[in-house]
Amino acid sequence: MSLLTDLINLNFSDITHKIIAEYIWVGGSGMDVRSKARTLPAPVNDPSKLPKWNFDGSSTGQAPGEDSEIILYPQAIYRDPFRRGNNILVICDTYTPTGEPIPTNKRAKAAKIFSHPDVVAEEPWYGLEQEYTLLQKDVQWPIGWPLGGYPGAQGPYYCGVGADKAFGRDIVDSHYKACLYAGIDISGINGEVMPGQWEFQVGPTVGIAAGDQLWAARYILERITEIAGVVVSFDPKPIPGDWNGAGAHTNFSTKSMRKEGGYEVIKKAIEKLGLRHKEHIAAYGEGNERRLTGRHETADIDTFVWGVANRGASIRVGRDTEKEGKGYFEDRRPASNMDPYVVTSMIAETTLLWKP
């Protein structure tokens, strides 16, 4: 008799050309990743050759029951680390039957910004640092923490090693390898300051691909924690009190910033970001006010300040960038539950298109 694991790992590529495509999209809350699968007659590696599909938007908070059909437009393809073979993951965005992007489709607006000639010419690079917390499923309390209690104070956990410091490494390493398999530009992982909290980085990635890849990486993480029986939280302050929150620091550079004299371009871009601080904060994630308190390696939410090697600033410039006179900067304001389409495109719009 076959075991369930045998069937899950069943390779059918030697008996049929058919593949399974998992269509993935963002639901009505802006953070709920949804997906469903369909069979295709042969392998596909170009999203424009994939069929559009539909789903019941009234069940995802994206359409009323009397007019519930939402259309999925395939936008990016990744290898499926769960089914493997020629099977694929498909990042989609969402439209009405008449072809209008629905309100929760943040990708469509981002794509317009990234296709602007002035933005294309500058080849915007992004490195996204996604922090998250692993929770015990039944009690919604960080893994490794005593039930109803607290571990020792922060200090030994950041990049820590050992059973009393690193909780959930098997999940984190599985995610790392699955993202590499999928073709995502995941560049690293590390344990974070609060025990049970981790980070992965995506990038450097150009333009709209940064958002596509981060959503794909989030989907893969949700699937792995589903298998492990653990809950992943993207809440920016999952535990109140003297604990670090969770952010999604966004590193950014343009062609002009990466050239000689780029430091002056960086400073002008940071000046623009400061002028639109309130607008950016409003778009940088729900509950961010609980995280941006001016403590725990953050600037106060109402204050815009930048500095070199300053992790208590809104914008941090690295020592290497200052020394070399070119490079990138880090926007430390986005929360862990930010929408990467919104944040990346807004940074590009403010620094490259907006005229003060």
Side-chain angles (χ1 to χ4, degrees):
M1 179 182 291
S2 295
L3 297 174
L4 186 59
T5 52
D6 293 333
L7 294 173
I8 290 172
N9 296 320
L10 186 66
N11 180 6
F12 54 84
S13 61
D14 57 343
I15 61 168
T16 180
H17 292 298
K18 293 179 179 180
I19 68 159
I20 301 172
E22 191 78 26
Y23 279 45
I24 302 162
W25 71 97
V26 182
S29 75
M31 276 303 293
D32 54 321
V33 183
R34 310 279 180 144
S35 77
K36 62 177 184 171
R38 68 182 297 167
T39 305
L40 299 176
V44 181
N45 55 22
D46 181 349
S48 68
K49 295 180 180 178
L50 287 167
K52 295 173 184 175
W53 205 7
N54 65 75
F55 69 93
D56 172 17
S58 68
S59 295
T60 62
Q62 293 173 288
E66 64 273 12
D67 187 15
S68 65
E69 191 168 288
I70 301 296
I71 312 301
L72 294 169
Y73 284 34
Q75 300 290 358
I77 292 174
Y78 303 96
R79 291 182 291 273
D80 187 337
F82 303 103
R83 297 187 177 107
R84 286 173 274 190
N86 290 319
N87 303 301
I88 56 175
L89 305 177
V90 184
I91 295 295
C92 305
D93 59 354
T94 45
Y95 296 80
T96 67
T98 59
E100 294 297 318
I102 67 171
T104 55
N105 181 352
K106 306 303 181 185
R107 190 188 190 281
K109 181 181 178 182
K112 288 182 180 180
I113 292 170
F114 284 120
S115 64
H116 191 288
D118 293 348
V119 177
V120 172
E122 283 290 347
E123 295 178 10
W125 289 6
Y126 294 91
L128 305 178
E129 304 175 28
Q130 176 68 72
E131 294 179 345
Y132 60 94
T133 308
L134 297 174
L135 305 177
Q136 302 168 59
K137 184 175 70 171
D138 296 330
V139 293
Q140 300 289 296
W141 198 240
I143 64 171
W145 290 40
L147 289 179
Y150 297 87
Q154 296 183 154
Y157 310 105
Y158 173 70
C159 298
V161 178
D164 58 343
K165 305 178 193 70
F167 310 116
R169 190 184 296 276
D170 54 345
I171 293 170
V172 172
D173 209 44
S174 297
H175 177 253
Y176 194 175
K177 293 177 180 178
C179 285
L180 285 171
Y181 178 93
I184 292 167
D185 295 324
I186 187 168
S187 49
I189 60 170
N190 60 268
E192 265 306 327
V193 177
M194 190 183 85
Q197 196 172 84
W198 294 82
E199 173 183 300
F200 67 88
Q201 302 95 34
V202 170
T205 306
V206 180
I208 195 74
D212 290 338
Q213 292 196 22
L214 190 68
W215 276 116
R218 283 175 171 177
Y219 171 82
I220 292 171
L221 182 58
E222 292 272 15
R223 285 286 303 276
I224 291 172
T225 53
E226 173 189 318
I227 294 166
V230 170
V231 173
V232 59
S233 170
F234 295 104
D235 189 284
K237 189 74 174 181
I239 305 296
D242 196 20
W243 305 96
N244 272 36
H249 303 153
T250 301
N251 299 277
F252 175 71
S253 73
T254 63
K255 184 185 288 186
S256 297
M257 294 175 189
R258 297 187 292 268
K259 289 181 178 179
E260 294 300 321
Y263 195 36
E264 291 304 313
V265 180
I266 288 171
K267 287 193 284 188
K268 289 177 182 176
I270 292 173
E271 182 181 356
K272 282 186 170 185
L273 289 169
L275 294 174
R276 297 187 77 189
H277 177 63
K278 288 184 178 179
E279 294 166 72
H280 279 256
I281 287 294
Y284 273 17
E286 294 294 323
N288 212 8
E289 72 282 351
R290 293 183 281 114
R291 168 180 162 261
L292 295 180
T293 62
R295 301 179 62 211
H296 305 109
E297 301 183 70
T298 73
D300 181 82
I301 194 168
D302 295 318
T303 304
F304 182 87
V305 59
W306 75 277
V308 177
N310 182 1
R311 283 180 164 76
S314 312
I315 305 289
R316 179 186 69 87
V317 174
R319 288 284 182 205
D320 286 346
T321 296
E322 180 188 46
K323 181 180 177 180
E324 295 176 13
K326 59 183 178 181
Y328 71 97
F329 64 83
E330 175 192 46
D331 191 337
R332 297 180 59 81
R333 298 170 296 172
S336 51
N337 60 2
M338 62 80 161
D339 188 316
Y341 295 132
V342 173
V343 170
T344 58
S345 63
M346 196 171 191
I347 291 173
E349 181 184 37
T350 294
T351 59
L352 297 174
L353 302 179
W354 182 62
K355 308 296 183 185

